[in-house]
Amino acid sequence: GLEEQLRLCQEPEELYRELCGRCAEIIEKAGNAVQDKESALREELESYLRQNLSRDVSLLDLADQFHLSPNYMSALFKSATGSNFKDYLSRLRFERAKAIIGASRTLSWPAGGAGSIANVNTLIRVFKKYGGMSPGQYQKMRQEESHASPEEG
C-alpha cells in the first residue's frame, strides 16, 4: 500500500516524487469522476428536453425535475452542455424543425408547428440563427439536392 511505498523511500526527493505521483493519480481520478457525472447529467438533461420539446419547457421546469434551485441548475446546465438553457433548447428545436422541414415535400409546415416551434416568426428567426437561412430556403435547397443527385445503384 501507500504507507509501505513511502517507507521504502530512502531520500527526501524520492519521497517527494512518490507523494507527487500519488497526488497526481488522485487528482486525475477525481477529474474523471467529475467528467463522468457531467456526461451522465448532460445525457439526462438532453433526454428530458427531447422528450418535452413539444411543451413550453423552462429552466424552472428543469430545475424542479432535477430537484435543484433554478440558479444552480443554470450554472450546472452551462457547465454540462457548454450552452445556456435558452440557446441549447433553441438548437434542439432547430434540429427537430430542420428534420421535419427537410423531409416535407411542400413548403408548408405542420399545423402544430415544425419541431415544436409553433410560431412561424420564431421558426424563421431560429432557423436563420442556427441554419443561416430561412426554413423555405432550406427546404428548397434540400429539394434541389434530392433532384440533382439521383440514387446510385
Side-chain angles (χ1 to χ4, degrees), residues 6-71:
L6 295 177
R7 276 194 209 141
L8 293 174
C9 294
Q10 300 288 321
E11 300 293 324
E13 293 82 18
E14 193 178 352
L15 179 62
Y16 176 78
R17 279 193 306 275
E18 184 66 33
L19 286 172
C20 286
R22 293 297 177 128
C23 286
E25 288 175 19
I26 291 168
I27 291 169
E28 183 179 346
K29 286 179 183 179
N32 289 342
V34 168
Q35 286 177 342
D36 290 347
K37 282 186 178 187
E38 280 189 354
S39 179
L41 177 63
R42 185 173 29 257
E43 288 174 19
E44 286 184 58
L45 291 170
E46 187 167 324
S47 174
Y48 177 81
L49 290 175
R50 286 189 187 281
Q51 290 172 10
N52 291 282
L53 270 182
S54 59
R55 289 185 40 229
D56 189 21
V57 67
S58 69
L59 183 63
L60 183 59
D61 296 329
L62 196 62
D64 285 346
Q65 175 68 25
F66 287 86
H67 310 289
L68 300 169
S69 76
N71 285 343

Side-chain angles (χ1 to χ4, degrees), residues 2 10 20 52 60-61 77 81 87 99 121 123 126 141:
L2 175 60
Q10 300 288 321
C20 286
N52 291 282
L60 183 59
D61 296 329
F77 193 93
T81 66
D87 286 344
N121 291 333
L123 176 66
V126 167
M141 179 190 75

Side-chain angles (χ1 to χ4, degrees), residues 83-152:
S83 292
N84 70 42
F85 174 77
K86 186 178 177 182
D87 286 344
Y88 192 87
L89 185 60
S90 292
R91 181 165 290 284
L92 283 180
R93 288 182 169 156
F94 162 72
E95 292 298 332
R96 180 163 301 165
K98 185 174 155 185
I100 291 170
I101 292 168
S104 176
R105 299 245 183 251
T106 64
L107 287 175
S108 61
W109 295 282
S116 62
I117 302 175
N119 181 304
V120 174
N121 291 333
T122 301
L123 176 66
I124 292 168
R125 184 175 32 79
V126 167
F127 229 87
K128 284 184 175 180
K129 179 177 181 178
Y130 295 106
M133 61 184 77
S134 73
Q137 291 169 326
Y138 175 74
Q139 190 171 47
K140 187 175 180 182
M141 179 190 75
R142 293 283 297 166
Q143 288 173 347
E144 289 171 357
E145 287 174 357
S146 68
H147 293 300
S149 56
E151 288 185 36
E152 295 179 28

